[in-house]
Amino acid sequence: MRTFILTAILALIIPLTIRAQIQSMELRGVVKDATTNQPISYAHVSILETKRGCACDKDGRFTLSLPQGEYEIRISAMGYQEKRMLIRSQDIQASEIEVSLFTRTIVLTEEVVVANRESARDLRSLYDQKFNTVDDLSSKIDGVTLIQRANFASEPSVRGMTSGQIATVVDGMKIFSACVDHMDPVSAYVEVENLEKLEISKGSFDLSLSQNIGGTINMVTEKPDFEKRLFTENEAGYESVSRLKRVRSVVNVSRDNIAVRATFSYKRAGDFYAGKNNRVQRSGFEKNNYKVDLSKKIGAAHKVNVSFIGDNAWDIGYPSMLMDTRKTKSQIYSIEHRWERTSSRIRLIESKVYANRIEHWMDDYDRDVTARTVMKDMYMPMFGKTTTVGVTEQALIVDKKQAFRIIGEYYYLNAFADMTMESIANNVSPMYLVNLGGIDVNNISLAINYDRALNNRLYWKLNARTDYSDRSLHDKTGRRLLEGSISSAPLHQTYITAAISSVMEYHFSPAYTMSVALAQSERMPTHLENYGFYLYNIQDGYFYMGNPNLKPEQSRQIECRLISEHTASRFQLNVFYNIINHYVIGVLTDSEFKTYANINRARIAGVEGSGTLNLAARWSVAASVSYLYGVNDELNEPLPLIPPIQGSAALVYQNEIIWLGLDARVAGAQKRIAGKTSLEDETKSFAVLNMRGSIKWNSHLEWKFGVENIFDKLYHEHLSINNLPGRGRNIYTGIIVTY
Amino acid sequence: MSKKIEIMLSAFLFSMIAHVSGCTDKDTHNSKLQLFPIASITVDSASTIVSLYAEDSLQVGFNRLYIGMKTTDDGHEVDNAQVELIPMMDMTDMGMMHSSPFEEPSGYENGYFQGAVVFTMPSYDMGHWTVRVNFLNHHNHMQGSAVFNLIIKNSSDVKALTIGADKYIMTLIDHKEPHVGLNDFEIGLYKKQTTMSFPPVTNAMVNIAPTMPSMGHGSSNNVNPVHTSMGRYHGKVNFTMTGDWQVDVNATINDTTLLSTHYDLTVE
Ligand SMILES: [Cu+2]
Ligand SMILES: [Cu+2]
């Protein structure tokens, strides 16, 4: 069987690789300093697809000979912010293209903030596939591991940090999950076609979007394109492992100063099969998602964007949990005004007003409640709801060698959740409780980023942030319940946190960069940690009570990065160490309940290495490996949900028509488990091999396909709750029609 | 619900009346007290009308009794008197009589002499409860007694009572509408010395543990009752959800169990 599949793959790859090439074109251009308009000498231009490149001359000019097609080119120069551009042969006129580069310190676009963030786009240059899910996107980033509870949106863990320690935002907007059992990470409410990119900052070095100690995942949504008068993209796809069917559509229309982009998708999956034909009962789902954006340019500098994302899902099976999701519903609204002028000292002023609401219903009506030990003979439908309203204001001020960004935000969160318990016995009264008693959070924050080029080789970035938060409970029953169960009475709580980070980046040469980042940060407890009541934690089997008197977690962290970047290769090594004081865990209050409490100290350290290498003209390889070590110093045991040493390797072939990749995901055994604080057990090592590809038949039609878990391995990830097995062999395919 | 409205309405009316009727009632009646009249008896020999009130209809368990007295000649409230209560059950079918635990009226307050009786079983066709009220008016030195015939309803679910092997009696006190969250939890504990004598037990250790039998869990943050006065023990019980709860109560002295029982309560 194995040899057959391998042979099949090779048989598919080989003939396509020798496909001859068409005519070539000449790309000529000049690279200039955006502020002074002077040419930049000896800038570097490289084509990401072919890993080829050239250097500009003294006058900033370059010439590249390329086959017809579409390319992403990267222009970089010492002391300047690198730039990426998409070049299509049909767009190239006889005249040369002009590329303006900003001084490194001047522009702080998110992808380039001194090595703190990795955009998924960098990886897309290698894995240039159309991702199927947001999970596909985030799992491609080193240090991000997904906590799996179902064959549905997984909760991301960034370097061993989860939920409250990291922030997941959409275009910077705060959104809070409605399910008290972590069934609905924020990423569940956004689909791939909504997104432009995922920006992840690991650790608390970047404090601009959230107050946290573990990182921020910003799902940047795609905005209407003023260049596309009428554009449509339609896709239909199928996945064999869960008999998933999907359709998605994108439409972009623009006229003069108005542009509209709309997306719609629908998908439906049955039970999925783990390796060796093991059907995982009740693991299907049904979901739709739609997004509409309206953008209007007013004059040269103003732009207004109105956005709406709606998402609905039904009957999502959670095989690892006690309950399934009956229904979820989210609505995300925002209005953004952007004023931008590249020539002025005040470069950008952005204002945003947003509101979102998430509702989540779950129950266990489809389960055999007589057969379980927890909540035996009892149905327990639960409901959860969050409403968030916020305003952000940000300004960017730039100077020749420095840049200053200030971001102010206010948001209000209201969260409510309740639960009914219906005994299957007739003589038992129904039971009711409030898990989140109408929690009100008012949060005000101020963040600043300051960038300065100390000289041509040395750059410095300073981040600072402070947050003020006021919290209380409104629901009468919720108040009574919580007051009854905690010994310390006042439920009202206010927090003030402060965080600061400093990053130095040194360029030994255009190819070698080293950076050292230091941060001292705090994160406030989540509203669940403060006020949750009777929250069942499947990871340790205890019911949890909130603690309004929790102290913020405090973190001190350091990270060193080494990057070497040549035209044909890129290597990066990250080493980090994080000490967390007042670490929040559940502490037994009596034999049955845990209360959130601060413990003395936890530490997390890790290494991430990754590299890409261009082997031959159209072949490249990529590999990454990461290791994480977490320890709870108070109990002297490992932290829970820490992934084992893991890595991935990929071999990719691409030309203008075909893209083919063979990739493997390998995870070592995890023997360091948190035996005292969780029910997790040791996990065996595994390797999963995948093959993916896409063929562009013509400019309108693309076929994508792949086989995941080719050898149909039966395995589970260490971060799979209750050892939910990974998906078995999955053959997926999709047709994309673009006009 | 309707009961709540009823109480609120009557409280409203009562306060209206108290307001309108002016001085005379103002000094002697507490408008907050909602009393349920049981009976009035005129004791001719002492020229006194004795009226008995309770907070609700009388039930098995702890009942506060309020005694109001007026002289028949001038209609003055009797406010300085010695008042005694003697509960008695006559079980004619068994040919026996017995008393029950009670709290002697402590003094005059808000127009009444307030005492309490722990009725230990319900009335039945051959079993009759009475409460005798003996009084000595310190103003006019008149004395007399009135015997009230009482109907005691059963209340095994609301106010339960258990007699242990060593003849201890425990009753719940005031638990009418338990709600979610922390509730006062008060019990009375008495020893049955003879059928006529039930002295309070004042030195017991009382432990409580609420559980939900249907779910097999308890709750945290409960406070074990401690003795306050006259055999009463006051603590706190935490109900973490609505539904059927069972509160296990265990009373010991020097590790010897006097009584171990449970009360079933429905939290709404
Ligand atoms: Cu849920
Ligand atoms: Cu009797």
Side-chain angles (χ1 to χ4, degrees), chain A residues 179 183 360 362:
Chain A
C179 176
M183 282 177 174
H360 175 94
M362 58 180 165

Side-chain angles (χ1 to χ4, degrees), chain A residues 378 429 431-432 484-485 534 592, chain B residues 215 217-218 221 238 240 242 244:
Chain A
M378 196 84 64
S429 317
M431 289 153 262
Y432 175 81
S485 293
Y534 233 89
E592 294 170 278
Chain B
M215 294 188 43
H217 68 70
N221 216 29
N238 181 24
T240 53
T242 68
D244 301 328

